[in-house]
Amino acid sequence: MIFLTVGTQFPFDRLVVAIDELVGSGTIAEEVFAQIGNSTYEPKNFKAVCSLDKPAFDERFLNASAIISHAGMGTIAMAFDHGKSLLAMPRRSEYGEVVNGHQEGLAVKFAACGHILEARDEKELPAQVKLLRDFVPRPRQADPAAVARRIRSEERR
């Protein structure tokens, strides 16, 4: 089962619609279950709920074969913590999905490091979904010393 989660603060209909179309066309053959927040769109090809309590969310996340999500840091961090393959499509400010482009920056950076897959928009989703099945995320290595050096260099400015 692929778990689609878009967070609960804002709707992300663009991603929900795109995944529904990919399931409907057979591009995604695996079962999909979704937490879609206050979406104005009701999926036709997979089961979805507005929100899940924390234990139910965690269970879906941990039992999923892969995660498809917005590029929220909480979801990305949870994928890191549990070694989950994650395909992220960032919310975009020009569509009123977020107030700034922070999700785009997160997705680009983590994808460049091999930690996640990124689809910049719904047109890129089909190709990235095909890669998701065999994607093995590169483990993220914490480097506190490098963080401390960077903070010190910023303080000197």
Side-chain angles (χ1 to χ4, degrees):
M1 178 267 306
I2 294 173
F3 184 41
L4 168 64
T5 179
V6 301
T8 56
Q9 291 183 337
F10 305 103
F12 194 13
D13 291 348
R14 195 165 53 92
L15 178 57
V16 175
V17 169
I19 296 301
D20 198 33
E21 290 173 355
L22 292 174
V23 172
S25 72
T27 302
I28 297 176
E30 190 170 352
E31 174 190 2
V32 172
F33 181 84
Q35 174 181 284
I36 61 172
N38 293 321
S39 181
T40 59
Y41 177 79
E42 187 173 328
K44 299 167 189 63
N45 299 298
F46 59 84
K47 292 180 184 176
V49 296
C50 178
S51 66
L52 296 165
D53 62 25
K54 178 75 169 134
F57 181 92
D58 290 350
E59 182 179 345
R60 292 282 183 175
F61 199 98
L62 294 174
N63 290 325
S65 61
I67 311 298
I68 299 175
S69 179
H70 65 140
M73 193 60 227
T75 305
I76 292 171
M78 192 169 179
F80 288 161
D81 290 345
H82 298 287
K84 290 290 181 179
S85 297
L86 171 66
L87 168 55
M89 187 171 95
R91 294 172 180 270
R92 300 187 51 177
S93 57
E94 63 261 34
Y95 299 124
E97 297 164 342
V98 286
V99 295
N100 60 38
H102 73 281
Q103 286 198 3
E104 292 175 85
L106 287 171
V108 167
K109 178 68 173 175
F110 288 122
C113 292
H115 301 309
I116 69 170
L117 293 173
E118 174 206 12
R120 294 178 189 201
D121 58 35
E122 54 274 40
K123 293 178 191 103
E124 291 186 2
L125 273 172
Q128 295 300 88
V129 161
K130 289 177 183 175
L131 296 175
L132 185 60
R133 166 64 85 194
D134 297 319
F135 178 69
V136 177
R138 182 172 166 237
R140 186 165 179 254
Q141 301 296 319
D143 189 353
V147 172
R149 283 192 303 275
R150 185 167 182 185
I151 290 170
R152 280 194 299 275
S153 72
E154 291 294 323
E155 288 174 346
R156 291 183 196 137
R157 288 184 175 184

